[in-house]
Protein backbone atom coordinates (compact mmCIF):
# COMPACT_ATOMS: atom_id res chain seq x y z
CA UNK A 1 0.00 0.00 0.00
CA UNK A 2 1.24 3.47 -0.81
CA UNK A 3 1.91 5.81 2.07
CA UNK A 4 -0.40 8.77 2.67
CA UNK A 5 -1.18 11.44 5.23
CA UNK A 6 -3.76 9.96 7.57
CA UNK A 7 -4.55 13.17 9.48
CA UNK A 8 -3.07 16.66 9.53
CA UNK A 9 -3.71 19.70 11.68
CA UNK A 10 -3.24 21.98 8.67
CA UNK A 11 -6.26 20.43 6.97
CA UNK A 12 -8.39 22.15 9.59
CA UNK A 13 -6.31 25.15 10.54
CA UNK A 14 -6.11 26.36 6.94
CA UNK A 15 -9.86 26.14 6.30
CA UNK A 16 -11.81 29.32 5.71
CA UNK A 17 -15.30 29.10 7.15
CA UNK A 18 -18.06 31.28 5.74
CA UNK A 19 -21.30 31.58 7.70
CA UNK A 20 -24.32 33.79 7.13
CA UNK A 21 -27.10 34.86 9.45
CA UNK A 22 -30.79 34.53 8.62
CA UNK A 23 -30.64 37.80 6.65
CA UNK A 24 -27.70 36.70 4.51
CA UNK A 25 -25.17 38.85 6.32
CA UNK A 26 -21.66 37.46 6.62
CA UNK A 27 -20.78 36.43 10.17
CA UNK A 28 -17.19 36.63 11.40
CA UNK A 29 -15.32 33.35 11.65
CA UNK A 30 -14.62 32.64 15.32
CA UNK A 31 -12.08 29.89 14.58
CA UNK A 32 -14.07 27.19 16.41
CA UNK A 33 -14.13 24.84 13.40
CA UNK A 34 -10.36 25.13 13.01
CA UNK A 35 -9.63 24.63 16.71
CA UNK A 36 -11.97 21.65 17.02
CA UNK A 37 -10.59 19.97 13.92
CA UNK A 38 -6.97 20.40 14.99
CA UNK A 39 -7.89 19.08 18.46
CA UNK A 40 -9.22 15.91 16.83
CA UNK A 41 -5.89 15.41 15.08
CA UNK A 42 -3.90 15.94 18.27
CA UNK A 43 -6.14 13.75 20.44
CA UNK A 44 -6.03 10.90 17.92
CA UNK A 45 -2.23 11.08 17.58
CA UNK A 46 -1.71 11.24 21.35
CA UNK A 47 -4.05 8.28 21.84
CA UNK A 48 -2.13 6.25 19.27
CA UNK A 49 1.15 7.17 20.96
CA UNK A 50 -0.15 6.23 24.42
CA UNK A 51 -1.31 2.83 23.15
CA UNK A 52 2.02 2.09 21.45
CA UNK A 53 0.43 2.13 18.00
CA UNK A 54 3.02 4.44 16.45
CA UNK A 55 6.49 3.58 15.20
CA UNK A 56 9.15 4.30 17.84
CA UNK A 57 10.64 7.31 16.06
CA UNK A 58 7.34 9.20 15.67
CA UNK A 59 7.07 12.43 17.64
CA UNK A 60 3.62 13.82 18.37
CA UNK A 61 3.36 17.58 18.79
CA UNK A 62 0.55 20.09 19.01
CA UNK A 63 1.89 22.24 16.21
CA UNK A 64 0.10 23.67 13.16
CA UNK A 65 2.21 21.57 10.80
CA UNK A 66 1.74 18.24 12.60
CA UNK A 67 0.67 15.36 10.39
CA UNK A 68 0.48 11.64 10.89
CA UNK A 69 1.29 9.35 7.97
CA UNK A 70 -0.11 5.85 7.61
CA UNK A 71 3.42 4.44 7.50
CA UNK A 72 4.11 5.92 10.94
CA UNK A 73 1.61 3.53 12.52
CA UNK A 74 2.48 0.02 13.60
CA UNK A 75 0.68 -2.81 11.82
CA UNK A 76 -1.80 -2.98 14.71
CA UNK A 77 -2.14 0.79 14.63
CA UNK A 78 -2.94 0.68 10.91
CA UNK A 79 -5.67 -1.89 11.49
CA UNK A 80 -7.12 0.13 14.37
CA UNK A 81 -7.04 3.37 12.37
CA UNK A 82 -8.85 1.67 9.47
CA UNK A 83 -11.46 0.36 11.88
CA UNK A 84 -11.97 3.32 14.20
CA UNK A 85 -10.74 6.72 12.97
CA UNK A 86 -13.56 7.54 10.59
CA UNK A 87 -16.25 6.30 13.01
CA UNK A 88 -14.78 8.37 15.84
CA UNK A 89 -14.63 11.55 13.75
CA UNK A 90 -18.21 10.98 12.56
CA UNK A 91 -19.40 10.59 16.15
CA UNK A 92 -17.75 13.90 17.07
CA UNK A 93 -19.29 15.59 14.03
CA UNK A 94 -22.76 14.32 14.95
CA UNK A 95 -22.37 15.66 18.49
CA UNK A 96 -21.32 19.06 17.21
CA UNK A 97 -19.87 21.50 19.68
CA UNK A 98 -21.89 19.89 22.50
CA UNK A 99 -19.27 17.21 23.07
CA UNK A 100 -15.70 17.98 24.03
CA UNK A 101 -13.04 16.38 21.85
CA UNK A 102 -11.41 13.73 24.01
CA UNK A 103 -10.22 10.16 23.72
CA UNK A 104 -13.22 8.53 25.44
CA UNK A 105 -14.75 7.41 22.14
CA UNK A 106 -11.39 6.07 21.02
CA UNK A 107 -11.05 4.17 24.29
CA UNK A 108 -14.43 2.49 23.70
CA UNK A 109 -13.48 1.62 20.14
CA UNK A 110 -10.09 0.32 21.35
CA UNK A 111 -11.78 -1.97 23.91
CA UNK A 112 -14.13 -3.31 21.26
CA UNK A 113 -11.27 -3.70 18.76
CA UNK A 114 -9.21 -5.67 21.29
CA UNK A 115 -12.10 -7.99 22.13
CA UNK A 116 -12.39 -9.26 18.55
Amino acid sequence: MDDFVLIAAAWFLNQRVVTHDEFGNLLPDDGEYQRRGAEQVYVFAEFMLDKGLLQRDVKVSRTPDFELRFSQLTELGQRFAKDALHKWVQSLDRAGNKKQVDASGLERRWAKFNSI
Side-chain angles (χ1 to χ4, degrees):
M1 173 183 264
D2 291 328
D3 193 20
F4 57 92
V5 176
L6 184 62
I7 53 171
W11 292 348
F12 296 97
L13 295 172
N14 294 333
Q15 289 295 312
R16 183 170 173 252
V17 177
V18 178
T19 309
H20 297 88
D21 66 15
E22 66 271 13
F23 305 108
N25 298 315
L26 185 64
L27 296 174
D29 179 12
D30 64 1
E32 180 60 26
Y33 172 85
Q34 295 87 344
R35 283 188 297 277
R36 188 169 175 83
E39 186 67 13
Q40 290 176 19
V41 171
Y42 303 141
V43 167
F44 180 76
E46 290 164 352
F47 175 86
M48 298 295 279
L49 181 66
D50 290 346
K51 296 297 182 192
L53 301 173
L54 300 179
Q55 300 292 338
R56 287 191 176 130
D57 62 337
V58 176
K59 305 289 185 237
V60 174
S61 63
R62 287 181 171 247
T63 58
D65 61 344
F66 176 75
E67 68 179 29
L68 188 59
R69 301 189 69 81
F70 193 69
S71 64
Q72 293 176 305
L73 280 61
T74 63
E75 184 179 325
L76 182 61
Q78 291 174 351
R79 289 198 323 264
F80 178 70
K82 284 180 187 178
D83 182 68
L85 178 58
H86 183 69
K87 293 174 192 173
W88 177 67
V89 170
Q90 281 185 319
S91 71
L92 291 172
D93 287 347
R94 279 191 305 273
N97 292 343
K98 295 176 233 159
K99 184 174 186 324
Q100 179 182 355
V101 177
D102 62 25
S104 61
L106 288 170
E107 287 290 353
R108 285 190 300 277
R109 284 171 172 72
W110 178 246
K112 183 177 179 180
F113 179 80
N114 273 332
S115 70
I116 297 175

